[in-house]
Amino acid sequence: MPSMSLVYDAVNVGDALPPLTLPPLTRTTLALYAGASGDHNPMHIDIDFARAAGMPDVFAHGMLSMAWLGRLLTEWAPQRDLREWSVRFSAITHVGERIVCTGRVTEKLERDGEPLIRVAVATANEAGAVKLTGEALIAAVRR
Amino acid sequence: MLDESLIGRSFPPHSADVEAGRLRLFAKAIGETRPEYCDEAGARSAGHRSLLAPPTFATCLYMDVPDPFAWLLDLSIDLARVLHGAQEIRHFAPVYAGDRLTFSPRIADVVHKKRGTLTLLVKETEVTNQEGVHVAAVRTTLVVRAAQANDATPAAAD
């Protein structure tokens, strides 16, 4: 990850973060994520359970997508500068989808004397269907 | 039952260890390959005291109890009717391999939507480490479909 904090004056509203493109989502990834995260909800790993609950198939953990957005943000700024972030899970991420994570600067502000960059983030599939939206506040430094 | 009387209810705190092997598996699962997250020597040479936990990891560890969904069953909520609607994390200090985190959850809000066919259940969890440092605050919004809701309606997570 970058070792240097964002420079407040070098960041502009409208700037795009370098996008993060994931490989097509596999069941293996869902199994690994279930074990690693501790979220063993069978909806994400057991197709029999998912079908019994009326879903056609297993689908991704919401927090897996949030973790991908974490990669997007920490490839742009050091993790220590990530103050707070939030996401809304608006659609299901299906097996086989190729997800792209994007971010854009929406505001520059100051809070309690600290310069902050507000970023809107999202994940979407290759057809542009949005799965998650959210925003993050990242600390910056003045030069 | 799932109503406003739950607001303010707290659950017993529980603790979980941040294990290096678990962090490496988590990094693999999310496609993370940078040394801070996967390699102790690389993490230290980047200025960290051990493997760094990615920003959502601490949030996941609060499910590290024998039955993480028992509290939903206690509220008579069927897991198959629950969707994760939203998540907010505030970070105050980094989390590293070797840390021991303590999670203190409480119900922050219960909101009925769409004429009662959906209920938003908001849980807030404070996370501290073994030195008592407040490392994160997590706000989780679950969307619970009512049992009598029309099952043909897609479970929109709003």
Side-chain angles (χ1 to χ4, degrees):
Chain A
M1 80 178 65
S3 57
M4 305 292 281
S5 295
L6 296 170
V7 176
Y8 188 77
D9 289 333
V11 175
N12 296 298
V13 171
D15 285 356
L17 279 61
L20 175 69
T21 301
L22 281 304
L25 181 65
T26 65
R27 297 170 198 283
T28 301
T29 290
L30 297 184
L32 286 172
Y33 185 79
S37 70
D39 184 346
H40 302 166
N41 184 343
M43 190 68 88
H44 304 297
I45 44 179
D46 184 338
I47 194 171
D48 300 328
F49 182 95
R51 285 179 174 162
M55 301 301 297
D57 198 352
V58 296
F59 56 91
H61 306 73
M63 289 302 294
L64 173 58
S65 294
M66 191 172 186
W68 291 333
L69 286 175
R71 287 180 54 196
L72 174 83
L73 293 168
T74 60
E75 288 183 12
W76 189 60
Q79 185 174 325
R80 63 171 185 270
D81 290 339
L82 179 57
R83 293 288 177 267
E84 61 187 61
W85 55 317
S86 59
V87 298
R88 282 180 42 150
F89 304 99
S90 48
I92 284 169
T93 298
H94 299 283
V95 171
E97 287 187 310
R98 184 186 296 271
I99 297 298
V100 181
C101 302
T102 56
R104 186 170 294 278
V105 176
T106 57
E107 188 184 3
K108 297 168 67 178
L109 63 154
E110 191 169 297
R111 188 176 68 183
D112 301 329
E114 183 174 59
L116 295 167
I117 308 295
R118 191 188 304 276
V119 178
V121 293
T123 76
N125 67 11
E126 55 269 60
V130 174
K131 307 293 188 174
L132 259 72
T133 57
E135 64 170 44
L137 277 177
I138 299 173
V141 295
R142 294 193 189 278
R143 282 286 151 79
Chain B
M1 290 308 296
L2 188 50
D3 61 36
E4 288 81 355
S5 68
L6 290 175
I7 297 172
R9 178 185 292 195
S10 58
F11 300 92
H14 73 272
S15 299
D17 293 312
V18 181
E19 299 162 340
R22 179 76 171 273
L23 284 180
R24 282 191 292 269
L25 177 59
F26 189 84
K28 178 179 181 179
I30 68 171
E32 179 58 77
T33 57
R34 289 172 289 171
E36 295 94 320
Y37 302 104
C38 309
D39 173 67
E40 275 94 339
R44 275 191 288 274
S45 69
H48 300 286
R49 60 179 155 86
S50 187
L51 280 185
L52 177 62
T56 63
F57 182 79
T59 301
C60 297
L61 262 196
Y62 71 33
M63 300 189 75
D64 238 41
V65 291
D67 187 353
F69 303 113
W71 67 281
L72 290 173
L73 295 175
D74 287 347
L75 300 175
S76 303
I77 296 169
D78 177 0
L79 188 56
R81 297 190 175 278
V82 175
L83 280 178
H84 196 172
Q87 184 87 2
E88 176 184 327
I89 310 173
R90 289 181 290 147
H91 300 277
F92 309 117
V95 173
Y96 289 109
D99 285 356
R100 183 168 176 80
L101 302 181
T102 298
F103 300 86
S104 305
R106 69 183 183 91
I107 303 293
D109 209 357
V110 176
V111 182
H112 300 292
K113 307 272 274 188
K114 302 199 175 177
R115 300 183 310 279
T117 57
L118 294 176
T119 301
L120 305 186
L121 180 59
V122 181
K123 187 163 76 158
E124 287 185 347
T125 304
E126 304 297 334
V127 189
T128 54
N129 70 13
Q130 67 282 359
E131 292 164 353
V133 174
H134 189 199
V135 297
V138 183
R139 187 177 167 92
T140 302
T141 302
L142 300 179
V143 181
V144 185
R145 287 182 292 150
Q148 67 271 26
N150 178 2
D151 282 342
T153 303
D158 63 355

